[in-house]
């Protein structure tokens, strides 16, 4: 058995994974804003507690960590949405957990999992996106991640789509993830509804499902959905025009909102003629492994 850890900008998920890529048990924690001021302690204490518990129940042989940002030589060079820089998480964790530990960018881990077991296994060329607190990505060609050398690359979320746009945690302005991440959408929806960050994604989804012409914020919500889908379609079409994949896979918390966005997104890319090379349809699939692809990919 292996332990996979998926660290996101707003959550920590830890699971026990068998040799077939199946999660046997999983725990998860939301990271709230006030915890980010002491983020390393929050991450490490949660990992220590849950991994020790799993080790008592299962025969664990090794552990993998999927984390957003730039990873080099086992060190988190920078993870802008977690506020981490030059963070040797492996060394810190191994001081208390005596297991071999591997670490990689979270979107790359999720892409590997979906390519092996999920939505992308039938394709030779694909793009995978994780839409959550930010936007991560990976390109797969002939079952291999695109090799970008010493740095992981594929930081699709930091493509600039609005000149002098919103300020991003990376220090630039107008990055795609400031407009098309799930955090961007949820924050805007909470603002419309005058709700705070304690309102969960699940609660927001239920509000969207019940949204109709009699709803108080019907017009504003529909305008937000249209605006969000437009920004998402612009970024995806740019990537398709560059890499010409057979399919695009989308993971992260976007998978729970598939019914709201997916068909609108496909139609917009085709009907707005955003592709350089015309297609009759755009194959976009949500992750079959749901939001667990990061955990499973971390063990691969």
């Amino acid at each position: 058995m292996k332990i996979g850890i998926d660290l996101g900008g707003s959550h920590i998920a830890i699971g026990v994974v068998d040799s077939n890529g199946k999660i046997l048990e999983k725990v998860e924690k939301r990271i709230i804003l006030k915890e980010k001021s002491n983020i390393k302690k929050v991450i490490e204490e949660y990992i220590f507690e849950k991994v020790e518990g799993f080790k008592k129940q299962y025969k664990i042989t090794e552990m993998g960590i999927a984390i957003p940002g730039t990873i080099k030589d086992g060190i988190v060079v920078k993870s802008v949405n977690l506020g981490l820089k030059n963070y040797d998480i492996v060394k810190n964790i191994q001081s208390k957990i005596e297991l071999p530990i591997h670490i990689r960018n979270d979107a790359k881990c999720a892409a590997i999992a979906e390519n092996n077991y999920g939505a992308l296994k039938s394709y030779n060329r694909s793009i995978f996106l994780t839409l959550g607190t930010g936007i991560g990505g990976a390109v797969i060609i002939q079952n291999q991640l695109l090799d970008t050398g010493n740095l992981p690359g594929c930081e699709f979320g930091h493509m600039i789509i609005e000149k002098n746009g919103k300020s991003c945690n990376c220090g630039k302005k107008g990055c795609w993830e400031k407009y098309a991440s799930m955090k961007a959408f949820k924050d805007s929806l909470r603002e419309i509804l005058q709700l705070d960050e304690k309102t969960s994604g699940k609660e927001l989804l239920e509000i969207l499902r019940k949204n109709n012409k009699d709803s108080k914020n019907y017009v504003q919500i529909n305008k937000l959905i249209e605006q969000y889908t437009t920004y998402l379609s612009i970024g995806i079409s740019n990537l398709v025009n560059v890499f010409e994949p057979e399919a695009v896979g989308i993971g992260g918390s976007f998978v729970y909102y598939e019914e709201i966005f997916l068909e609108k997104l496909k139609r917009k890319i085709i009907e707005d003629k955003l592709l350089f090379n015309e297609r009759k349809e755009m194959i976009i699939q949500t992750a079959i492994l749901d939001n667990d692809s990061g955990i499973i990919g971390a063990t691969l």
Side-chain angles (χ1 to χ4, degrees):
M1 307 291 177
K2 299 179 182 180
I3 287 178
I5 299 176
D6 183 19
L7 281 170
S10 57
H11 81 286
I12 309 171
I14 305 174
V16 178
V17 184
D18 69 14
S19 58
N20 297 313
K22 300 293 184 183
I23 294 179
L24 305 181
E25 191 173 346
K26 182 180 77 167
V27 292
E28 191 165 5
K29 167 187 170 59
R30 283 184 71 196
I31 300 173
I32 58 177
L33 189 60
K34 67 179 181 180
E35 290 179 311
K36 289 196 175 183
S37 62
N38 200 12
I39 190 65
K40 293 180 183 178
K41 183 180 179 181
V42 170
I43 290 171
E44 290 171 19
E45 288 186 351
Y46 189 73
I47 290 174
F48 292 148
E49 176 191 349
K50 299 305 178 183
V51 170
E52 283 304 313
F54 284 146
K55 284 173 69 179
K56 292 175 182 177
Q57 295 177 261
Y58 303 93
K59 187 177 180 180
I60 306 298
T61 59
E62 59 185 325
M63 190 165 84
I65 301 173
I67 187 168
T70 301
I71 316 299
K72 185 178 181 182
D73 300 326
I75 294 174
V76 182
V77 177
K78 61 180 176 181
S79 180
V80 296
N81 288 322
L82 281 169
L84 298 172
K85 190 173 183 180
N86 297 321
Y87 177 34
D88 197 345
I89 184 174
V90 174
K91 181 180 178 181
N92 290 5
I93 291 174
Q94 275 185 329
S95 65
K96 291 189 178 181
I97 298 174
E98 295 179 359
L99 285 172
I101 301 175
H102 311 280
I103 185 169
R104 194 167 205 166
N105 173 271
D106 61 341
K108 311 294 187 298
C109 289
I112 292 168
E114 287 295 330
N115 186 65
N116 281 21
Y117 301 117
L120 301 178
K121 64 182 180 181
S122 299
Y123 304 101
N124 292 318
R125 300 184 320 281
S126 60
I127 290 171
F128 188 77
L129 300 169
T130 53
L131 304 183
T133 303
I135 298 179
V139 176
I140 296 177
I141 301 172
Q142 301 298 339
N143 293 318
Q144 298 292 323
L145 287 176
L146 178 67
D147 183 1
T148 57
N150 291 331
L151 296 173
C154 296
E155 290 289 349
F156 300 145
H158 298 286
M159 295 188 295
I160 294 174
I161 64 167
E162 287 282 2
K163 183 181 178 182
N164 297 321
K166 297 178 182 178
S167 295
C168 181
N169 292 334
C170 74
K172 299 190 290 147
K173 291 184 177 182
C175 291
W176 187 33
E177 68 178 41
K178 296 302 294 182
Y179 301 86
S181 66
M182 285 306 296
K183 182 181 188 306
F185 174 78
K186 290 175 186 176
D187 284 351
S188 296
L189 182 57
R190 290 188 184 102
E191 187 176 339
I192 289 171
L193 300 172
Q194 297 183 320
L195 299 171
D196 62 25
E197 69 164 330
K198 293 179 182 177
T199 309
S200 69
K202 185 177 180 180
E203 291 171 312
L204 292 176
L205 179 56
E206 285 305 311
I207 292 171
L208 292 177
R209 285 172 172 162
K210 294 174 182 177
N211 187 46
N212 58 52
K213 291 182 179 179
D214 297 323
S215 301
K216 178 182 176 182
N217 298 296
Y218 176 77
V219 173
Q220 285 179 288
I221 290 174
N222 275 11
K223 184 178 179 180
L224 174 62
I225 290 171
E226 180 66 22
Q227 183 183 56
Y228 176 78
T229 308
T230 296
Y231 280 123
L232 192 53
S233 68
I234 290 170
I236 289 177
S237 63
N238 285 341
L239 295 172
V240 170
N241 289 338
V242 172
F243 295 104
E244 288 294 345
E246 296 172 277
V248 175
I250 303 179
S253 58
F254 180 89
V255 298
Y256 303 123
Y257 290 74
E258 175 180 345
E259 65 192 86
I260 307 296
F261 295 117
L262 190 58
E263 291 307 314
K264 292 179 186 292
L265 176 62
K266 291 178 184 178
R267 286 199 304 271
K268 182 163 281 294
I269 290 173
I270 299 299
E271 292 174 4
D272 287 6
K273 299 185 185 302
L274 299 178
L275 300 178
F276 180 79
N277 292 312
E278 186 176 343
R279 299 186 183 205
K280 292 182 179 179
E281 66 171 337
M282 186 68 241
I283 299 175
I284 303 176
Q285 298 183 353
T286 50
I288 291 176
L289 305 173
D290 293 330
N291 205 18
D292 292 333
S293 53
I295 292 175
I296 296 167
T299 67
L300 296 173

